Amino acid sequence: MSTQSSMHVYLNWAKERLHEMDAALDSFDATAAKAEAASKVKAAEIIADLKKRRGELEAMLKTQSEAGEAALAGAKTELDRQWAEFETQMKAYFENAGKQVDQQQATFKQIAAAQAKAWQETTNRFREAAAKVTMAGTTDIDAVLKQLRSDASEAGAHLEKLKQTGSESWAVLSAALSDSRKAFDQANQAAWNALKGSAPKG
């Protein structure tokens, strides 16, 4: 179960990032056509680069997940780097687009929805995996599942509050998404660690 839970933590992390990338790209594609001629070319270049980075991240994830846990752990640093570069390019896109508040809000809403989807998928995967564990430690598993849902709800409520204001800068919105992402990573790790501790000892 140890190897399996480590794989789940890593795969949940990667899937969450891919959901966010897809959401950002969908948002950018939807508004790129409306950009002023001068910034349209630069925006198209940045979007193309973002799509390339997203593709590279997905390809690396596929290769590493097929290679097993050791390969996944070794690739985490590279995937972290690719994610950071994607975020840097998103910031560059907003700077190029003239800090359009509507664009920033639309992207924020789509990324927040992608994060919510990742929380839900992780909760579902954890629940399915926990059901396979023997009844020993069920109370702990139930408590972890309850905490995972609570953390998801808290992160979602904070993002929802920001969605409603509609006037925050991308730096503020990005920081909120980062905080939610960090909470997701911690909850994901804690849940799978608890499941690993509840697994029957072989």
Side-chain angles (χ1 to χ4, degrees), residues 126 130 133-144 194-195 197-199:
F126 178 77
V133 174
T134 61
M135 296 309 284
T138 300
T139 305
D140 290 344
I141 297 297
D142 290 343
V144 169
L195 190 59
S198 297

Side-chain angles (χ1 to χ4, degrees), residues 151-193:
D151 290 347
S153 179
E154 187 177 317
H158 179 64
L159 294 177
E160 190 60 37
K161 184 177 171 187
L162 281 175
K163 276 193 224 177
Q164 301 306 320
T165 63
S167 61
E168 302 294 345
S169 70
W170 180 250
V172 171
L173 298 175
S174 181
L177 290 169
S178 181
D179 288 346
S180 175
R181 198 176 299 120
K182 193 180 299 179
F184 172 86
D185 292 344
Q186 290 170 349
N188 181 34
Q189 184 72 55
W192 291 99
N193 284 349

Side-chain angles (χ1 to χ4, degrees), residues 16-100:
E16 191 277 336
R17 295 327 188 258
L18 288 173
H19 283 324
E20 286 197 46
M21 288 176 161
D22 289 340
L25 288 168
D26 287 348
S27 176
F28 294 164
D29 280 339
T31 57
K34 300 174 191 170
E36 294 176 17
S39 64
K40 194 179 282 193
V41 173
K42 183 64 178 167
E45 287 174 11
I46 292 173
I47 291 171
D49 184 61
L50 287 169
K51 286 180 178 178
K52 179 178 171 250
R53 290 179 191 283
R54 192 253 182 245
E56 288 170 355
L57 186 72
E58 184 174 40
M60 183 183 296
L61 170 64
K62 186 175 187 313
T63 300
Q64 300 303 331
S65 64
E66 289 169 356
E69 183 185 16
L72 284 173
K76 177 90 167 54
T77 301
E78 175 60 18
L79 290 165
D80 277 331
R81 185 189 65 75
Q82 292 231 2
W83 170 253
E85 288 175 2
F86 187 90
E87 285 190 299
T88 299
Q89 282 296 84
M90 275 202 313
K91 183 178 176 194
Y93 177 87
F94 285 125
E95 288 170 358
N96 179 68
K99 298 183 174 34
Q100 298 171 2

